[in-house]
Amino acid sequence: MIALPLDTASAAGQGSGSGQQRGQGAGGGHGQGGSDAAHGRSGGLGGIFRDITGAADEDSDRPDWAGEKGGKAGAGAKPETAGSKRGDVFGDLWVILRDEDGVPILTPEGFVQPLDADGNPIPLDEEGHPVDETLTVEVELGRLNVGRAPTKVLDRRADEVIALLSGATALALDPAGRLLVTSVVDGVETTKTIDSPLENLAIYVALMTTGSIPGLTPETLAGTEFDFMVDGQLTVEDLEAAPAFLAAATDKTGVFTADEIAYIDAFLGIQTTTVGDVTYSDIEYADFSYDRSDTFTGVTTTVLIQQTDGSWLPTEVNIYEVVFDNVDLTASGSLEAFTAAAEDARLVIEYIHEYAVPVDQLAAN
């Protein structure tokens, strides 16, 4: 792996790639690679819900603060209960030296290496602490909007998601890349986006660990453009779909950074490994690619647009134009590329939420 420091801004490297176009049935190529099942996860989608929200067994070693609102104003600053031992991922959340996959590049002594605002290594003392802590750049975690809930509630939510997907007559992606489910309820066909933060985060964890949504049988999506979600393997298709689910699980106003996603993945136990005292997610992004124009060109949605007379009317808009001003972005082979895709999905979700048409008004039109 090439040792590259990750900047605090959401950035993208050069390259080309192709993504699934939003707002219609997603097309996907053949993914590569594979993954074993996530260690310690059981109980299907409900089990993932419990892991995320802290409703797991009382003897779980999951930190008490994980899944809770953290830091001032919910910005997700370092939890008060976070440890401070050498390299512990639950310690100070600083921008650190990482390689292209987001894996920490340790010092010869086994410490993580904090970086200053210009990307320069900060001198450490013999305990691995920055000599001048004021030079560090803190990573603010976007609040994971999941909270805590009783196990029965989480199991019921999981059952509802599985039932919704299993009973779908059609699946597509909404403009941001979230699942758009069409089903028939009491003889009436309805279409809805899975927009619950908890449900999207659970889908993200499932795809990034096992490459499959637990509880769905392969027959459920067999022969569709979404069969990669039940194939039992972590493929590039799972990686390309995952950023939108992560974006849907966090607050909609904070800009994603690569360090933030690296910390979130580690907190969620996604493909983690431990070297000495340092625990981190070790995800291979070599085959991941993202192209904004391929993903969003031609994608439309209906939102409220203010007219010249001051009124607001439902209007169909082009996402690539109104959100991205027709500016392209391509990235591949790194956590930075994955971050760029997640940030673009977050921007689209934020735009849709800001100008959403009320359901009753949308139905009337």
Side-chain angles (χ1 to χ4, degrees), residues 91-289:
D92 298 297
L93 304 185
W94 295 324
V95 173
I96 62 174
L97 186 65
R98 301 178 185 272
D99 69 12
E100 287 184 323
D101 289 325
V103 173
I105 298 175
L106 306 182
T107 68
E109 297 77 21
F111 301 121
V112 294
Q113 176 60 68
L115 304 176
D116 64 20
D118 296 321
N120 300 312
I122 300 172
L124 307 178
D125 62 22
E126 63 275 7
E127 296 296 325
H129 194 82
V131 174
D132 185 355
E133 190 172 322
T134 64
L135 296 176
T136 61
V137 179
E138 188 172 5
V139 177
E140 293 188 346
L141 300 189
R143 179 168 57 90
L144 297 180
N145 297 300
V146 293
R148 290 179 180 269
T151 297
K152 290 183 179 179
V153 173
L154 297 175
D155 285 341
R156 184 171 66 249
R157 290 278 297 279
D159 290 342
E160 290 171 355
V161 174
I162 297 304
L164 180 65
L165 292 174
S166 298
T169 58
L171 284 179
L173 297 178
D174 85 337
R178 298 172 295 182
L179 286 175
L180 190 65
V181 184
T182 299
S183 57
V184 177
V185 179
D186 296 329
V188 179
E189 184 176 81
T190 61
T191 299
K192 64 167 291 185
T193 296
I194 295 181
D195 59 0
S196 159
L198 175 60
E199 292 163 6
N200 278 284
L201 191 60
I203 293 172
Y204 174 76
V205 172
L207 293 184
M208 293 293 286
T209 51
T210 66
S212 289
I213 299 175
L216 290 180
T217 63
E219 292 75 18
T220 303
L221 301 178
T224 73
E225 297 164 353
F226 299 92
D227 56 5
F228 66 90
M229 293 184 175
V230 290
D231 63 4
Q233 293 185 332
L234 177 59
T235 67
V236 69
E237 292 166 291
D238 297 306
L239 288 177
E240 289 176 346
F245 299 120
L246 179 60
T250 61
D251 47 18
K252 310 303 184 291
T253 57
V255 177
F256 269 125
T257 68
D259 278 275
E260 176 186 6
I261 292 179
Y263 282 124
I264 287 174
D265 287 344
F267 292 161
L268 294 174
I270 296 174
Q271 299 188 50
T272 55
T273 188
T274 299
V275 176
D277 291 326
V278 184
T279 298
Y280 55 87
S281 289
D282 190 3
I283 301 170
E284 177 62 64
Y285 292 102
D287 294 330
F288 178 84
S289 62

Side-chain angles (χ1 to χ4, degrees), residues 4 11 19 53 58 62 96 118 168 186 291:
L4 292 177
T53 62
E58 292 183 357
R62 181 178 176 279
I96 62 174
D118 296 321
D186 296 329
D291 187 302

Side-chain angles (χ1 to χ4, degrees), residues 246-332:
L246 179 60
T250 61
D251 47 18
K252 310 303 184 291
T253 57
V255 177
F256 269 125
T257 68
D259 278 275
E260 176 186 6
I261 292 179
Y263 282 124
I264 287 174
D265 287 344
F267 292 161
L268 294 174
I270 296 174
Q271 299 188 50
T272 55
T273 188
T274 299
V275 176
D277 291 326
V278 184
T279 298
Y280 55 87
S281 289
D282 190 3
I283 301 170
E284 177 62 64
Y285 292 102
D287 294 330
F288 178 84
S289 62
Y290 174 67
D291 187 302
R292 178 186 287 165
S293 62
D294 284 355
T295 303
F296 292 106
T297 295
V299 175
T300 62
T301 191
T302 299
V303 294
L304 287 176
I305 298 296
Q306 189 171 27
Q307 308 300 304
T308 55
D309 62 359
S311 63
W312 293 78
L313 293 178
T315 306
E316 185 177 79
V317 298
N318 184 296
I319 290 294
Y320 191 55
E321 294 176 0
V322 298
V323 177
F324 303 110
D325 199 26
N326 292 315
V327 176
D328 198 9
L329 180 153
T330 60
S332 62

